[in-house]
Amino acid sequence: MRMQKSLCLFLIMYIPILLNAQTKKDESLLLGCGLGDNGGKDSDGRQWNPDNKYLSGGNSITSKASFQDPSLLSEIPYMSARVFTSESTYKFPILPNKRYWLRLHFYPSVYNNLNPSDSYFSVTANGVALLNNFSSSITCQALSQAYLDREYSLAPLNSNVLNLTFKPSDKHNGAFAFINGIQLIQMPDLLLDSPSLVGYDDQTMDAKNLHFQTMFRLNVGGQFISPVQDSGLSRTWYDDTPYLYGASTGITNQAAKDVKIDYQTMPQYIAPHDVYSTSRSMGNNKDVNMGYNLTWMFQVDPNSMYLTRLHFCDYFYSKVNEIVFNVFVNNQTAQTGADVIGWTGSKGVPTYKDYVIYVQDQAGDDQLWLALHPSPDSKPEYYDAILNGVEIFKLNDTDLSGPNPQPSDMMIEHDNQEKTFQNKKNGHNKSFVIGGAAGGAAGFAIVAAICVAVHHRKKRAPGSYTNTTSSWLPLYGNSHTTGTKSTGSGKSTMGSGANLAMAQGLCRYFSLQEMKQATKNFDESNVIGVGGFGKVYKGVIDNGVKVAIKRSNPQSEQGVNEFQTEIEMLSKLRHKHLVSLIGFCEEDEEMCLVYDYMAHGTMREHLYKGNKPIDTLSWKQRLEICIGAARGLHYLHTGAKYTIIHRDVKTTNILLDENFVAKVSDFGLSKTGPNMNQGHVSTVVKGSFGYLDPEYFRRQQLTEKSDVYSFGVVLFEALCSRPALNPSLQKEQVSLADWALLNKRKGKLEDIIDPNLKGKINPESLNKFADTAEKCLSDHGLDRPSMNDLLWNLEFALNLQENPDGSTHKNTSHLNESEFEEVNLSHNNEMAAHYKNLSLGSEHDLSHHDSTENSAAIFSQIVNPKGR
Ligand SMILES: *[C@@H]1O[C@H](CO)[C@@H](O)[C@H](O)[C@H]1NC(C)=O
Ligand SMILES: *[C@@H]1O[C@H](CO)[C@@H](O)[C@H](O)[C@H]1NC(C)=O
Ligand SMILES: *[C@@H]1O[C@H](CO)[C@@H](O)[C@H](O)[C@H]1NC(C)=O
Ligand SMILES: *[C@@H]1O[C@H](CO)[C@@H](O)[C@H](O)[C@H]1NC(C)=O
Ligand SMILES: *[C@@H]1O[C@H](CO)[C@@H](O)[C@H](O)[C@H]1NC(C)=O
Ligand SMILES: *[C@@H]1O[C@H](CO)[C@@H](O)[C@H](O)[C@H]1NC(C)=O
Ligand SMILES: *[C@@H]1O[C@H](CO)[C@@H](O)[C@H](O)[C@H]1NC(C)=O
Ligand SMILES: *[C@@H]1O[C@H](CO)[C@@H](O)[C@H](O)[C@H]1NC(C)=O
Ligand SMILES: *[C@@H]1O[C@H](CO)[C@@H](O)[C@H](O)[C@H]1NC(C)=O
Ligand SMILES: *[C@@H]1O[C@H](CO)[C@@H](O)[C@H](O)[C@H]1NC(C)=O
Ligand SMILES: *[C@@H]1O[C@H](CO)[C@@H](O)[C@H](O)[C@H]1NC(C)=O
């Protein structure tokens, strides 16, 4: 009855609109732009409806995307679009006094032969500028993502209609606008109290009439939360690790199963249970905690107001004054004496605090820092700090738009190469490669791209010795820098890790003079690659030992951190099948890393050039290389007591020495990675396009089986001698993983193997190999073999090739332990023991986030063998 009545009222109020727009009574609109009459469901099962009913005026067409990027989580709404060639407006019925979520989804692809790089447009909502001169393809490219989701919270508009206007830019010839999906959802009031203004004592701010753009939304110390797992507002929450700054990143905690999150009077929609049941804290060593700030850094647009919302819930301590800390936002005190139990009254009760700050224009580096530090003034029982969630919103009353990010030169160059190559190859100009790669699930951190652009150039994978094949993508969104600032223990700028490594004789120090001698004063003729850090030179030391010398770009500040990370990581992990670091040099602001020289470059360059197979490796050699690489990975996964996940297994990261012994490279970067200032691009997906584990995409949970998946692609690459991804081919052939599986299942694998191998592979060996590779590509990590099983199978395949007459198979897979150069990790175990005392009913935290100087940096990304 009641419902009927309100519906009736509703009808009266909105008749004019309802005539051409059959609004649902819950007033939430999910529109798949350009979808047919029946709409469709996304991968979460949500129904998206067609958009045409709401459209008024302007010229628009509907179109399907020309190419489905594998990183798209769902075909709907991204694969269909509405394309506008002139100003056009959607009219949505709204309630005049309510706040609304507006979410816009963009997937830059070729629509109707229109190149997305020609798309520049503005979007306004009742006069409020949301986007201006917006290029989704530039933004995606800079972020290394395939698609973008933007979220706005519109203050009450005092109107019954929301005019959402798309206008192609008149500054660019042939500019057009497009949109793939629109969500409009009436939202409850999230601003229950007025936020306090940082830097102005006791002043609050009235943000009720301001429009918001969501910049970041993080489940601190926890995992990705998808819209359907949110507490009713279909928000996406990302992992916070990419935004952590500094070497000390605290530890993560998870509420024990029996702890109930008690919302009391706080509405549950403020944040879901999963946000409050995980947290990050500093660790339980008072001295360590007093010596650092638990810090996150966010890239934002300058000259803007930002609301930072912090979510807290303590489910471990239960008394007032047990943990008291201060909160700093942009180095200003936002909160003194934060005491979560003091605020909430008891454990398991969540709360949140809002702080508003104005970020000024500071010559390029526009950052918002958030830092927590124990508050000794309060004399708390424990010197610690805790945080469960963060949301950062940009606020404005009229204009939320920001500039397009600037993709780095290297990305542009790569794109051009990719494009010219395609043009030459197939003479078809239609297919457009998004950045040549795609990150996938995007954050809101659009502006993060700016920092990528700035710092990107400095970053390239270690050991990428060729100009065209290296892994330069900024996909390692993590941030575990090893700076000495926060730990205060290192003397040299290279950090304590380097000192330690040297003290332990794991690493050698070179003078600059030695470096110059080795490279003929860094002569250009010795350049064998250009890396993100700078150039990689071939060199000779000690009268004849060949080395690869990576020289940091002298202007690069970030280089310091990256170098430290790499020294620490590489000097600790030694294995025949991992590329090894010989030493480093630091003098006169010059920094160099010295590696073993890999005479034969990357595995990839021995398989194909461009898209053409090259006949240099026999089947046996290929098997041996695969086995070597598998051993290296096996060591990473199991050899170091803790699982280290490589995250970027691919044929350009497998290097070959003069005897074609395979060595895995790049693991330093992908673990402790480039620091905060650069890499925090995609909060979720790290790795390379074409090799990415689909399960990792779906669930955002990284396990060593993600490496196994990528390795499966490597195996097929070795067999077929073609790139993991070749966008110039027909759709079903673009992805090697898909194409190989399809053929394998049809029993037609022979059709696609490298012609140079035809007739040269023993059929049983081929079968064993292909079965193994297929298993690696299983959808579910659980169905994939472990690296050890894999190794066994590959060796079996090698055996079958060498002894085709069925001679007895020797089980060779028992790993020869003496092959490992064991590294003393007991220091780390001590750390683990410390944290055991603090671990809140959850084991998995232990090794994940050590927080003191040396081991922290090294093991910060190492996860417990049991996985998460
Ligand atoms: C929406 O657009 C129509 C014209 O298309 C205009 O008459 C109306 O005032 C606009 N509404 C708002 C709130 O801007
Ligand atoms: C809103 O945006 C405009 C244009 O970018 C800017 O000049 C103004 O300072 C912003 N206002 C606030 C409150 O941030
Ligand atoms: C905050 O302090 C850090 C160093 O402690 C500095 O690098 C950074 O630029 C400062 N940020 C702002 C916004 O002042
Ligand atoms: C923590 O951050 C605050 C604000 O930027 C700064 O004043 C303080 O020195 C920092 N403390 C440490 C130990 O880095
Ligand atoms: C629009 O954006 C592009 C790319 O960021 C930039 O080159 C151009 O100058 C911008 N145009 C205007 C009018 O702001
Ligand atoms: C591809 O583009 C180039 C220049 O951009 C043009 O010369 C060529 O004709 C195009 N080829 C096709 C098949 O459209
Ligand atoms: C790498 O690039 C540099 C300059 O761009 C070039 O001189 C050099 O020959 C290239 N090296 C290889 C191996 O292609
Ligand atoms: C070989 O060893 C592996 C692991 O050690 C074991 O799983 C496998 O069953 C063995 N195979 C044979 C044929 O003995
Ligand atoms: C293990 O490897 C070492 C060196 O690679 C070799 O000398 C030794 O004989 C091997 N042991 C076994 C049991 O295979
Ligand atoms: C490892 O280090 C601990 C303490 O640092 C030391 O007692 C132990 O002997 C070392 N073990 C090895 C094998 O070097
Ligand atoms: C952990 O706690 C136990 C008892 O509470 C204590 O005996 C032990 O020393 C602590 N370990 C560390 C490493 O702090």
Side-chain angles (χ1 to χ4, degrees), residues 49 71 77 97 110 128 202 231 240 272 278 351 460 476 516 526 541 557 562 589 609 611 637 730 748-749 769 780 820:
N49 293 314
S71 74
N97 53 355
V110 173
V128 180
D202 299 327
S231 52
D240 71 316
T278 58
T351 188
R460 202 182 229 200
Y476 318 101
K516 286 183 174 164
N526 284 337
I541 56 168
E557 276 170 45
E562 293 173 5
E589 302 187 344
K609 276 246 154 55
N611 292 335
H637 288 178
Q730 284 171 357
K748 290 186 163 176
L749 196 60
F769 185 87
H780 298 285
F820 304 112

Side-chain angles (χ1 to χ4, degrees), residues 605-644:
E605 67 200 67
H606 295 275
L607 294 174
Y608 48 89
K609 276 246 154 55
N611 292 335
K612 266 214 181 73
I614 332 175
D615 186 17
T616 54
L617 298 175
S618 68
W619 180 236
K620 182 177 171 227
Q621 273 177 311
R622 293 179 200 214
L623 278 170
E624 282 167 348
I625 288 167
C626 292
I627 289 169
R631 281 182 188 276
L633 289 170
H634 176 76
Y635 174 67
L636 286 181
H637 288 178
T638 58
K641 291 202 176 76
Y642 297 93
T643 299
I644 299 173

Side-chain angles (χ1 to χ4, degrees), residues 781-840:
L782 284 175
D783 301 333
R784 295 176 205 148
S786 70
M787 227 53 219
N788 193 39
D789 293 342
L790 192 63
L791 207 40
W792 188 83
N793 280 295
L794 291 177
E795 289 187 338
F796 198 13
L798 178 60
N799 218 295
L800 288 167
Q801 178 72 15
E802 292 190 295
N803 307 300
D805 313 328
S807 57
T808 54
H809 167 65
K810 190 167 105 277
N811 197 346
T812 50
S813 78
H814 302 292
L815 286 170
N816 184 343
E817 290 303 326
S818 66
E819 214 173 285
F820 304 112
E821 283 176 48
E822 266 301 343
V823 177
N824 195 342
L825 297 176
S826 67
H827 179 57
N828 190 54
N829 295 342
E830 266 166 45
M831 297 318 305
H834 269 293
Y835 298 133
K836 209 157 217 153
N837 282 359
L838 197 85
S839 146
L840 309 179

Side-chain angles (χ1 to χ4, degrees), residues 120 133 138 171-172 404-405:
Y120 285 90
N133 186 38
I138 291 179
K171 305 271 190 319
H172 296 265
N404 289 317

Side-chain angles (χ1 to χ4, degrees), residues 10 14-24 29 53-55 91-93:
F10 184 78
Y14 295 108
I15 274 178
I17 294 142
L18 280 172
L19 287 181
N20 63 9
Q22 293 148 15
T23 322
K24 288 194 291 178
L29 291 176
K53 296 167 189 159
Y54 301 95
L55 202 59
K91 291 188 183 302
F92 301 119

Side-chain angles (χ1 to χ4, degrees), residues 330-331 362 369:
N330 264 10
N331 301 347
Q362 305 162 337
W369 298 67

